[in-house]
Amino acid sequence: MEIKVAKFGGSSLANASQFRKVRNIVEADPTRRYIIPSAPGKRDKHDHKITDLLYKCHVLAQKGQPFTEVFALIKERYLTICTELGLSLDLQADLDEIEARIKAGASADYTASRGEFLNGKILAAYLGFAFVDAADVIFFDAEGRFNAVKTQTVLSRELARYPRAVIPGFYGSTAGGQIHTFTRGGSDITGAIIARGVNAALYENWTDVPGFLMADPRVVKNPKPIREVTYRELRELAYMGASVLHEEAIFPVREAKIPINIKNTNDPEAPGTLIVSDNGNYRPPGSITGIAGRKGFTIIAIEKTLMHSELGFGRKLLSVIEDHGISFEHMPSGIDTISLVIADNQLNPNKLDQVLADIDHVCKPDSIEVIKDIALIATVGLGMAYTPGIAAKLFTALAAGGVNVRMIDQGSSEINIIVGVENKDFEEAMRRIYNAFVPPETPSL
Ligand code: ASP
């Protein structure tokens, strides 16, 4: 039977009624055989995430201060979920042990991981699935790096023993048996690793949003969801700031060519967003997949007559910024000009002056111009750069909005066009591009 791995985020398991939705989803498809829960998230915007409360207990315990009150909130959340679901599961011994270990100086990772551990136990009991502790199947080395080889071997062997199991997200163990967590939001990564380990046909990632949107909803009103996106397109969009999924969660499944379906627990029938591998995908001509962008870049534009024939000019220039520990985002060039686009967080004011002085000294350009307060916008779509008319549409839309384009970079990738505009034009530019490619739906008569 084919296998689906389903990861449910914190808001999908925040209380008993969310657990009921999750059970309906799991029971609706018998191929959903391995389930990865996060810790309970916020029930409303004033609520606390269990993981945050656990970290708080750890901090208080480290300072020798009482944490009983905070721990009581955690206990109450879990016990209420169990009571409301009518479970006879007894968590008291686990809760007592966790409290005692935090008091005795347990690590931040152990403490935080208990959110997923307890939620996993509850979900396993509620679904009637086996509970497999992530500490027994997900491994890190002594430096805290994920040990893919050991994990893959043990995981596939262990899970083969259970036709259906719940494996808590977010953590695993080191060779010395210590609990170690991924970075925040890391249950996405656990889900991807398990999907790969059991060679799943699909990795479902259940959240509280309808999937990826074509643009940032804080900028573009009601952007359409993206139905299908390739891993490469997603990488471009994520780099520019679009996010739903933990970035590191992409790699294990991408390598194994397992598609990811982002789904909404509160609207399970909706298709969500399907992330697929890059081969053989088709997009209707003239369409794009999404738009993403970020403010806060500086362009250093360098001009020198006969630059193009000066051997080593680019190397000298790049060695200057490398010596300053700066990485650049883009480097568009002309015959006698070259520009570096650098994120502002790489350049504090003193550093910029130093870099300019060093470029002047090492490269001896005719002029250096600094253009500050630049935003970058990536318009992403498979094969769009080879579709006639896309660039014309994009730049016509920007011109119509009075947006001055300060930089264009299409690079060698055929999947995006990046434009640099002034920070103040960012929102207008995003909306203009979106509306050019996604015309408002005409109301049916
Ligand atoms: N509970 C952890 C966090 O809040 C991990 C996760 O939810 O993915 O970061």
Side-chain angles (χ1 to χ4, degrees):
M1 195 201 315
E2 84 170 18
I3 300 174
K4 284 185 191 151
V5 167
K7 178 256 168 180
F8 290 89
S11 59
S12 301
L13 293 163
N15 58 25
S17 78
Q18 292 298 90
F19 267 77
R20 286 190 195 101
K21 290 182 192 168
V22 167
R23 186 160 81 173
N24 287 339
I25 290 167
V26 173
E27 287 181 349
D29 182 346
T31 66
R32 291 186 177 126
R33 290 171 44 191
Y34 298 105
I35 312 298
I36 320 304
S38 279
K42 294 182 179 189
R43 288 159 294 187
D44 56 60
K45 66 174 189 286
H46 306 292
D47 199 14
H48 302 285
K49 288 180 76 165
I50 289 291
T51 311
D52 293 336
L53 294 177
L54 284 162
Y55 277 121
K56 201 162 179 184
C57 289
H58 173 73
V59 170
L60 290 170
Q62 290 296 302
K63 290 190 198 150
Q65 290 173 7
F67 61 89
T68 336
E69 266 179 45
V70 185
F71 199 74
L73 295 174
I74 298 169
K75 262 197 228 171
E76 200 220 54
R77 274 292 276 288
Y78 286 114
L79 296 178
T80 312
I81 291 175
C82 287
T83 316
E84 288 183 11
L85 294 178
L87 290 176
S88 56
L89 178 74
D90 187 3
L91 282 184
Q92 200 53 53
D94 281 319
L95 289 165
D96 289 346
E97 187 193 332
I98 294 165
E99 191 171 7
R101 287 185 65 171
I102 300 174
K103 207 170 273 165
S107 68
D109 281 13
Y110 166 82
T111 309
S113 74
R114 297 304 89 184
E116 272 69 13
F117 173 82
L118 293 168
N119 227 22
K121 283 202 153 182
I122 298 178
L123 188 60
Y126 186 52
L127 295 175
F129 281 25
F131 172 78
V132 175
D133 190 348
D136 299 332
V137 287
I138 304 269
F139 300 103
F140 296 89
D141 66 17
E143 275 77 49
R145 281 181 307 242
F146 173 59
N147 184 339
V149 176
K150 183 173 175 193
T151 301
Q152 178 71 26
T153 317
V154 178
L155 187 64
S156 38
R157 187 187 66 216
E158 281 302 298
L159 291 188
R161 297 170 48 207
Y162 304 100
R164 295 170 201 285
V166 171
I167 309 102
F170 192 37
Y171 71 94
S173 62
T174 63
Q178 304 295 316
I179 295 291
H180 188 79
T181 59
F182 291 108
T183 49
R184 292 298 306 264
S187 302
D188 283 346
I189 310 175
T190 311
I193 293 167
I194 306 262
R196 177 167 192 162
V198 299
N199 199 15
L202 183 68
Y203 169 31
E204 291 182 333
N205 193 293
W206 292 84
T207 64
D208 55 0
V209 293
F212 294 118
L213 298 173
M214 283 188 74
D216 185 341
R218 289 166 300 188
V219 179
V220 172
K221 213 167 143 213
N222 292 328
K224 286 194 174 166
I226 300 176
R227 289 288 289 275
E228 193 175 301
V229 59
T230 64
Y231 283 110
R232 271 177 73 212
E233 290 171 303
L234 187 65
R235 169 92 186 98
E236 306 272 341
L237 290 166
Y239 155 76
M240 275 300 190
S243 80
V244 173
L245 194 69
H246 200 299
E247 263 219 37
E248 288 166 63
I250 307 281
F251 296 107
V253 271
R254 178 178 181 164
E255 259 176 36
K257 295 198 168 22
I258 299 170
I260 307 177
N261 199 356
I262 310 284
K263 297 270 286 176
N264 187 354
T265 301
N266 304 317
D267 185 11
E269 296 308 319
T273 299
L274 191 64
I275 308 166
V276 293
S277 55
D278 303 330
N279 306 329
N281 302 98
Y282 170 78
R283 292 274 183 282
S287 73
I288 60 162
T289 304
I291 307 162
R294 276 191 281 152
K295 288 183 182 175
F297 294 90
T298 295
I299 301 178
I300 302 177
I302 298 139
E303 191 161 348
K304 186 174 187 181
T305 309
L306 297 181
M307 178 196 289
H308 74 290
S309 58
E310 183 179 328
L311 204 62
F313 187 89
R315 179 183 48 75
K316 281 188 257 174
L317 177 63
L318 292 184
S319 71
V320 170
I321 66 156
E322 185 180 353
D323 289 346
H324 282 275
I326 293 170
S327 70
F328 66 94
E329 309 285 327
H330 301 281
M331 189 172 60
S333 65
I335 295 171
D336 287 336
T337 62
I338 197 161
S339 298
L340 292 172
V341 183
I342 299 172
D344 288 347
N345 58 17
Q346 301 256 333
L347 290 169
N348 59 43
N350 297 337
K351 209 172 197 177
L352 178 60
D353 290 345
Q354 258 309 315
V355 171
L356 296 177
D358 286 355
I359 293 176
D360 201 39
H361 177 70
V362 175
C363 304
K364 306 198 168 35
D366 298 338
S367 69
I368 307 181
E369 192 192 351
V370 175
I371 307 156
K372 290 189 175 171
D373 301 322
I374 291 294
L376 296 184
I377 300 174
T379 306
V380 176
L382 203 74
M384 57 176 264
Y386 293 144
T387 311
I390 294 264
K393 210 176 198 179
L394 193 147
F395 292 109
T396 308
L398 292 176
V403 174
N404 193 11
V405 176
R406 304 298 305 258
M407 186 214 73
I408 303 168
D409 192 1
Q410 194 172 300
S412 51
S413 108
E414 77 279 28
I415 66 170
N416 74 16
I417 297 177
I418 295 175
V419 292
V421 301
E422 286 167 32
N423 276 344
K424 70 172 175 47
D425 290 333
F426 175 70
E427 284 81 6
E428 181 65 19
M430 288 275 273
R431 287 191 278 268
R432 291 275 170 177
I433 298 173
Y434 180 85
N435 291 334
F437 288 99
V438 190
E441 259 150 43
T442 32
S444 46
L445 295 173

